[in-house]
Amino acid sequence: MRKLALTAAILAMTAGLAAAQTIRLGTEGAYPPYNFINDKGEVDGFERELGDELCRRAKLTCEWVTNDWDSIIPNLVSGNYDVIIAGMSITPERDEVIDFTQNYTQPDPSAYLARTGDSPDLQHGVIAAQTGTIQAAYVASSGATLLEFATPEETISAVRDGEADAVLADSAYLEPIAAEDPGLELVGDPVLIGGGVGMGIRESDTELKEKFNAAIQSMKDDGSLNALIEKWQIGATF
């Protein structure tokens, strides 16, 4: 009986430690309005607000970690953090390596940005895109010449400097840039790629995935997710 009682106590203690574990949220911090570093040096943006609220609803203690985009999936798999929340579209290729929660945004149309007054050949020209994105994969298969960069800022610089004819990225990222810079404008038709944005989670972390799925669904159900999407002008609501 004492042995059973001791076993029960150990299990309860283990469960308590698991509940108290800090969940590390990995983001890039360089892709506004989804995520960026504010003047205080803190992670900010749509996904900061969303992530904090999801952790609150899931009753999880969370902290934020920044990581370069090109290594964001390998470093999740290796355990540097527990979740990717970084504007990552759900694709079959990524789903072979990691797991995803349900989407917390609708598929965001991608757009082309070019120098004002140019008429770039979007099918056969030189198109910049960030390495490892759905836009880079799209350009690579489109017949255009793909010019890849590690950060989104570098793709914009490539267009400004004439190194690339245009850049392909999420509309939500490019629209504010076009609005603020008279030397750049959106060109061509919007391109629909991917299945919306979700949280990336290691395939072994099924319980964590279930907790975040429930939290995302509760925000969809009460309209608070749509309110955040509208506040940050991310795209279509649910």
Side-chain angles (χ1 to χ4, degrees):
M1 191 61 151
R2 289 181 180 177
K3 187 174 182 180
L4 287 173
L6 180 60
T7 302
I10 292 171
L11 288 173
M13 185 181 297
T14 304
L17 289 172
Q21 178 188 5
T22 298
I23 301 301
R24 297 158 299 172
L25 305 179
T27 194
E28 184 184 15
Y31 203 64
Y34 288 89
N35 57 81
F36 58 91
I37 305 300
N38 62 24
D39 293 338
K40 297 179 181 179
E42 301 168 338
V43 174
D44 204 340
F46 165 69
E47 286 170 321
R48 174 60 193 261
E49 277 200 61
L50 174 64
D52 287 349
E53 178 61 16
L54 291 175
C55 288
R56 186 189 70 80
R57 293 186 184 221
K59 296 180 171 55
L60 296 168
T61 300
C62 297
E63 66 180 20
W64 289 87
V65 178
T66 56
N67 193 95
D68 291 341
W69 178 262
D70 58 1
S71 61
I72 202 164
I73 289 179
N75 284 343
L76 170 71
V77 174
S78 64
N80 289 21
Y81 35 83
D82 306 295
V83 178
I84 294 172
I85 176 167
M88 180 170 284
S89 295
I90 301 167
T91 67
E93 294 78 16
R94 289 171 179 159
D95 200 33
E96 291 179 359
V97 182
I98 60 174
D99 209 349
F100 283 96
T101 63
Q102 63 171 297
N103 61 318
Y104 55 79
T105 76
Q106 303 277 29
D108 185 28
S110 296
Y112 290 98
L113 183 78
R115 292 178 296 279
T116 300
D118 282 2
S119 299
D121 183 349
L122 302 178
Q123 300 302 315
H124 304 97
V126 178
I127 308 299
Q130 187 179 11
T131 301
T133 60
I134 55 174
Q135 289 85 8
Y138 178 86
V139 173
S141 64
S142 70
T145 298
L146 172 63
L147 193 59
E148 292 185 275
F149 293 92
T151 67
E153 292 89 349
E154 289 175 296
T155 66
I156 305 299
S157 296
V159 173
R160 286 194 178 112
D161 297 342
E163 191 177 356
D165 300 317
V167 54
L168 181 66
D170 290 330
S171 295
Y173 174 68
L174 294 180
E175 285 172 357
I177 295 173
E180 294 172 6
D181 189 340
L184 298 172
E185 64 180 355
L186 298 177
V187 296
D189 296 324
V191 181
L192 287 176
I193 321 170
V197 172
M199 303 173 88
I201 297 178
R202 286 183 291 272
E203 291 184 336
S204 58
D205 289 342
T206 54
E207 183 179 350
L208 186 60
K209 175 185 172 181
E210 289 171 2
K211 288 182 178 180
F212 278 123
N213 268 336
I216 293 168
Q217 189 59 52
S218 72
M219 290 189 70
K220 288 180 177 179
D221 292 343
D222 67 16
S224 56
L225 181 53
N226 281 343
L228 270 185
I229 289 171
E230 290 173 348
K231 173 184 175 179
W232 289 97
Q233 299 180 1
I234 293 299
T237 55
F238 289 94

